[in-house]
Amino acid sequence: MKNKALTPQKRDRDKTSGAILSTATTLFLERGYAAVSLSLIAKQAGVTKSLLHHYFRDKQGLWKAVKDASVASYAEQQRALFSESLSNPEEGIASSITAYFSFLKKHPEIARMFALESFEGEYKPSATEQELQKKGINFIHDLQKMNVLRKDIDADMILALFSALTEHWFISRDRVAKLNNTKVSNALDARYFEAVTKVFNDGIQIQ
């Protein structure tokens, strides 16, 4: 049996790439993609810029790695839902919506990161984003064939509605709270989730 223990060299590589990824994640989430330079990331990570290029090639490669790492736990959850939910489609839809809302509730800074990326015009999907997009559309197509979801709305637009309604809340909820003379709280999140679920489900499901 081969010894699967990591060599010191492999441990050093993992430690270095992990430090770069962690630093880049913090900076991108705080400032947005456009405002962060590779030189700043390298300086704060304690590495040379050439080493950063070695591990992630360029800024876009590092940005995609940050996004993939940021959504890794959510992506794994959605993969499981997409593969298991056709036996109980209504529960599957609810679970998928809940999963994304719960993920962004725990990490609202990621919704802000997505928004900044769109405004800055720097968007290029990562491998994980492309995978989830494809699986999500296929999942919706399957539900349309089963007459669970309306067929007169394109699957990609149903997915876009789902993403937009969820992501926008975690960008705008401070404003909504102030407009309604209340505070951001679990109760406010729950009220929005209940409302958006009803609107979304009533709009796309076949009654």
Side-chain angles (χ1 to χ4, degrees):
M1 181 180 293
K2 293 182 179 180
N3 185 359
K4 295 184 179 180
L6 295 177
T7 64
Q9 184 178 13
K10 178 66 166 57
R11 285 197 298 270
D12 287 343
R13 286 200 303 268
D14 289 348
K15 184 178 179 180
T16 301
S17 62
I20 295 170
L21 191 60
S22 177
T23 300
T25 299
T26 299
L27 290 171
F28 283 143
L29 288 176
E30 287 179 350
R31 308 184 188 188
Y33 177 83
V36 178
S37 67
L38 288 181
S39 296
L40 177 62
I41 294 171
K43 180 179 179 180
Q44 293 203 10
V47 300
T48 62
K49 192 174 176 180
S50 61
L51 193 59
L52 192 153
H53 281 292
H54 171 72
Y55 283 110
F56 296 99
R57 190 174 180 177
D58 55 20
K59 186 178 176 181
Q60 190 61 241
L62 180 54
W63 174 240
K64 289 180 179 180
V66 165
K67 289 195 292 182
D68 279 347
S70 297
V71 302
S73 61
Y74 163 73
E76 192 61 35
Q77 188 176 11
Q78 284 290 32
R79 289 185 190 106
L81 287 171
F82 289 148
S83 63
E84 298 169 0
S85 293
L86 291 179
S87 59
N88 192 340
E90 290 188 2
E91 183 178 319
I93 295 169
S95 296
S96 182
I97 294 172
T98 301
Y100 197 41
F101 191 90
S102 298
F103 170 70
L104 290 182
K105 179 178 171 61
K106 187 176 181 180
H107 302 287
E109 70 280 359
I110 292 177
R112 180 176 176 273
M113 179 177 75
F114 291 159
L116 285 172
E117 179 182 44
S118 297
F119 286 131
E120 291 166 353
E122 298 285 354
Y123 180 67
K124 290 185 180 179
S126 68
T128 299
E129 288 177 298
Q130 291 176 318
E131 176 201 353
L132 291 181
Q133 177 76 4
K134 183 177 180 179
K135 288 182 182 295
I137 289 174
N138 289 339
F139 176 64
I140 293 168
H141 276 151
D142 288 338
L143 294 179
Q144 288 174 324
K145 291 176 184 176
M146 296 168 65
N147 290 319
V148 175
L149 299 182
R150 290 169 55 171
K151 299 177 183 179
D152 61 331
I153 304 176
D154 292 339
D156 58 337
M157 290 297 101
I158 290 177
L159 191 59
L161 284 168
F162 157 64
S163 298
L165 287 169
T166 306
E167 291 166 12
H168 184 70
W169 175 244
F170 293 101
I171 299 167
S172 66
R173 62 178 176 173
D174 285 346
R175 182 169 178 267
V176 171
K178 290 177 181 177
L179 283 170
N180 289 282
N181 296 314
T182 187
K183 295 180 180 179
V184 171
S185 63
N186 289 333
L188 186 64
D189 286 338
R191 285 177 56 207
Y192 179 80
F193 182 70
E194 180 182 8
V196 79
T197 300
K198 287 180 180 178
V199 171
F200 188 72
N201 287 342
D202 289 348
I204 66 169
Q205 290 190 32
I206 296 175
Q207 304 300 317

